[in-house]
mmCIF file of all heavy atoms in Angstrom:
data_model
loop_
_atom_site.group_PDB
_atom_site.id
_atom_site.type_symbol
_atom_site.label_atom_id
_atom_site.label_comp_id
_atom_site.label_asym_id
_atom_site.label_seq_id
_atom_site.Cartn_x
_atom_site.Cartn_y
_atom_site.Cartn_z
ATOM 1 N N SER A 282 7.222 -45.799 -31.139
ATOM 2 C CA SER A 282 7.732 -47.180 -31.141
ATOM 3 C C SER A 282 8.815 -47.364 -30.085
ATOM 4 O O SER A 282 9.027 -48.457 -29.592
ATOM 5 C CB SER A 282 8.213 -47.576 -32.544
ATOM 6 O OG SER A 282 9.363 -46.848 -32.853
ATOM 7 N N ALA A 283 9.451 -46.282 -29.681
ATOM 8 C CA ALA A 283 10.492 -46.403 -28.649
ATOM 9 C C ALA A 283 9.935 -46.233 -27.245
ATOM 10 O O ALA A 283 10.619 -46.489 -26.263
ATOM 11 C CB ALA A 283 11.588 -45.372 -28.898
ATOM 12 N N LEU A 284 8.689 -45.772 -27.145
ATOM 13 C CA LEU A 284 8.138 -45.419 -25.831
ATOM 14 C C LEU A 284 6.749 -46.024 -25.662
ATOM 15 O O LEU A 284 5.745 -45.342 -25.751
ATOM 16 C CB LEU A 284 8.052 -43.891 -25.698
ATOM 17 C CG LEU A 284 9.391 -43.175 -25.602
ATOM 18 C CD1 LEU A 284 9.210 -41.682 -25.778
ATOM 19 C CD2 LEU A 284 10.051 -43.484 -24.258
ATOM 20 N N LYS A 285 6.752 -47.290 -25.365
ATOM 21 C CA LYS A 285 5.471 -47.964 -25.263
ATOM 22 C C LYS A 285 4.949 -47.981 -23.826
ATOM 23 O O LYS A 285 3.743 -48.056 -23.607
ATOM 24 C CB LYS A 285 5.572 -49.390 -25.812
ATOM 25 C CG LYS A 285 5.908 -49.396 -27.305
ATOM 26 C CD LYS A 285 5.598 -50.731 -27.926
ATOM 27 C CE LYS A 285 5.950 -50.761 -29.415
ATOM 28 N NZ LYS A 285 5.253 -49.711 -30.181
ATOM 29 N N GLN A 286 5.851 -47.957 -22.894
ATOM 30 C CA GLN A 286 5.406 -47.919 -21.496
ATOM 31 C C GLN A 286 6.511 -47.353 -20.611
ATOM 32 O O GLN A 286 7.670 -47.265 -21.001
ATOM 33 C CB GLN A 286 4.991 -49.313 -21.016
ATOM 34 C CG GLN A 286 6.098 -50.360 -21.140
ATOM 35 C CD GLN A 286 5.660 -51.722 -20.607
ATOM 36 O OE1 GLN A 286 4.475 -52.037 -20.573
ATOM 37 N NE2 GLN A 286 6.618 -52.520 -20.153
ATOM 38 N N ILE A 287 6.090 -46.945 -19.428
ATOM 39 C CA ILE A 287 7.016 -46.352 -18.463
ATOM 40 C C ILE A 287 7.072 -47.269 -17.253
ATOM 41 O O ILE A 287 6.038 -47.739 -16.773
ATOM 42 C CB ILE A 287 6.512 -44.971 -17.977
ATOM 43 C CG1 ILE A 287 6.215 -44.034 -19.154
ATOM 44 C CG2 ILE A 287 7.510 -44.335 -17.016
ATOM 45 C CD1 ILE A 287 5.426 -42.789 -18.751
ATOM 46 N N MET A 288 8.285 -47.485 -16.769
ATOM 47 C CA MET A 288 8.430 -48.216 -15.500
ATOM 48 C C MET A 288 9.392 -47.426 -14.619
ATOM 49 O O MET A 288 10.538 -47.197 -15.001
ATOM 50 C CB MET A 288 8.969 -49.634 -15.764
ATOM 51 C CG MET A 288 9.050 -50.496 -14.509
ATOM 52 S SD MET A 288 9.764 -52.134 -14.865
ATOM 53 C CE MET A 288 8.412 -52.956 -15.711
ATOM 54 N N VAL A 289 8.880 -46.981 -13.477
ATOM 55 C CA VAL A 289 9.720 -46.222 -12.545
ATOM 56 C C VAL A 289 9.859 -47.044 -11.286
ATOM 57 O O VAL A 289 8.858 -47.341 -10.628
ATOM 58 C CB VAL A 289 9.087 -44.854 -12.233
ATOM 59 C CG1 VAL A 289 9.945 -44.101 -11.214
ATOM 60 C CG2 VAL A 289 8.939 -44.022 -13.515
ATOM 61 N N GLU A 290 11.056 -47.415 -10.942
ATOM 62 C CA GLU A 290 11.251 -48.307 -9.795
ATOM 63 C C GLU A 290 11.818 -47.526 -8.611
ATOM 64 O O GLU A 290 12.864 -46.877 -8.712
ATOM 65 C CB GLU A 290 12.140 -49.485 -10.186
ATOM 66 C CG GLU A 290 11.496 -50.276 -11.336
ATOM 67 C CD GLU A 290 11.923 -51.731 -11.394
ATOM 68 O OE1 GLU A 290 13.122 -51.987 -11.630
ATOM 69 O OE2 GLU A 290 11.047 -52.597 -11.202
ATOM 70 N N GLY A 291 11.106 -47.634 -7.504
ATOM 71 C CA GLY A 291 11.498 -46.913 -6.299
ATOM 72 C C GLY A 291 10.376 -46.014 -5.846
ATOM 73 O O GLY A 291 9.378 -45.840 -6.545
ATOM 74 N N HIS A 292 10.546 -45.461 -4.644
ATOM 75 C CA HIS A 292 9.490 -44.637 -4.048
ATOM 76 C C HIS A 292 10.099 -43.441 -3.364
ATOM 77 O O HIS A 292 10.931 -43.592 -2.479
ATOM 78 C CB HIS A 292 8.708 -45.431 -2.996
ATOM 79 C CG HIS A 292 8.150 -46.695 -3.543
ATOM 80 N ND1 HIS A 292 7.134 -46.706 -4.470
ATOM 81 C CD2 HIS A 292 8.493 -47.994 -3.325
ATOM 82 C CE1 HIS A 292 6.872 -47.962 -4.779
ATOM 83 N NE2 HIS A 292 7.676 -48.754 -4.115
ATOM 84 N N SER A 293 9.675 -42.268 -3.779
ATOM 85 C CA SER A 293 10.099 -41.051 -3.078
ATOM 86 C C SER A 293 9.303 -39.894 -3.647
ATOM 87 O O SER A 293 8.683 -40.007 -4.709
ATOM 88 C CB SER A 293 11.600 -40.791 -3.278
ATOM 89 O OG SER A 293 11.864 -40.453 -4.637
#
Side-chain angles (χ1 to χ4, degrees):
Chain A
S282 69
L284 291 168
K285 297 197 181 303
Q286 58 178 25
I287 306 167
M288 184 183 286
V289 178
E290 301 206 295
H292 305 291
S293 68

